[in-house]
Amino acid sequence: MDTQSGATAQSRAVAKLKHRLRSGQFTNAMPGERELSKALAAGRGTIRKALAQLQEEGFIAAPDKNRARKIIRTSTSPVQPLPLLEKRVCFLSSVPIRDIPQSIWVELYQLEKALRIEGMALQLVEATWAEKSNPDMRLEKLETEHPGSCWILYRTTEEVQLWFKRKGIPCLVRGVSYPSSNLPYLDTHWEVLAGHAAGYLYQKGHRRIALCIPDSKLRGNRLMEQGFLSFQGEHYTPYVIRMPSDAIKAAQELNRIDLADTGITALISTRSRMLISIISWAATMAKSIPEEISLLSLVHEPYLNHITPPITSYRSPAEKTTRRLIRMIEALLEHRRISNSLILPELCPGQSISTLNSPPPAFDPSSNKA
């Protein structure tokens, strides 16, 4: 962050803290830096500088060892609304609200709390028809019924993104935007993540690895496939299994690949619901995890903590994602330049991957029927 942007972040933090002081949200003592960092979606360095400025202006006392900073005055001036108050952020989902992954729900919960502190509201808007062609007329009606200050587009098609682009409506994509729309976006770095997953399994001795990917045209899915196929390793033989959303059809597709005798030893799941389909298929086919088939998930959901064996997965920090979302929303509403943000989740080792001491011999691609 350059000096100018750093100063802007500090000034915004100071304005928010003064607002809370004047409105009586803080009494006697200030919360700690960690708590303020979460509440204001700002880095601790920014919070530290903002507190130093409040101390210099006589609002709070100097820090006293490990004790909370005492509040000296809250100012007698009337409470002025912050620039972002009375704003509404609309979250547009092309998948049914009930089917939104748990990890996204955690993110939305934290986002709603952070927005409420700013005097803003979060509204969920379901538009399952958005994946169909020619959505323009319905989008016109939707935007009229839900006038938002800005929009977050979740799992949206190229047509939907282009409509928001043409209308000039402030929005960002929770996912990856298409080059044609060039909308600002925040998402997992799927290309790097899929490549890392392939490399991790390769180090465990697996050579014939399959990426189970939704049968969808979403750009994030394409990036996963690119990253997975781009991994280089001796005798590495990648497969891409396009999984239908229907669980029975997904099992049939896995059976077809299995019967083709490809010698696949590991599967990579790219979606949480897909992971359940794979685990159910393995149980039905009496395939033991990880003895007969290893399993790695690119996403982590809370329910994975209750599955045996524990599934090796990648976990994205919801708090970090929420802070970035808040900053991007603020930039949108203040008409500032906004940069894309890619998140790299952390690997959470489980017990769903076996180590092959003797990797399978080289596979003849000509025999691949997948």
Side-chain angles (χ1 to χ4, degrees), residues 66-125:
N66 295 326
R67 297 180 182 178
R69 289 174 176 264
K70 292 184 178 180
I71 296 175
I72 299 176
R73 68 183 178 91
T74 59
S75 177
T76 57
S77 59
V79 177
Q80 297 295 328
L82 293 176
L84 299 183
L85 292 179
E86 307 298 333
K87 302 289 185 180
R88 179 165 61 178
V89 177
C90 294
F91 183 89
L92 176 64
S93 174
S94 64
V95 299
I97 297 297
R98 67 177 183 275
D99 293 338
I100 292 178
Q102 286 181 293
S103 56
I104 297 296
W105 274 116
V106 172
E107 184 179 309
L108 289 173
Y109 171 71
Q110 294 189 359
L111 179 62
E112 191 276 334
K113 286 200 304 180
L115 290 174
R116 192 181 339 123
I117 291 174
E118 301 298 331
M120 302 171 67
L122 177 66
Q123 181 175 5
L124 303 185
V125 181

Side-chain angles (χ1 to χ4, degrees), residues 233-246:
E234 186 178 7
H235 303 317
Y236 172 60
T237 307
Y239 298 82
V240 176
I241 303 177
R242 304 192 187 282
M243 300 272 285
S245 57
D246 181 83

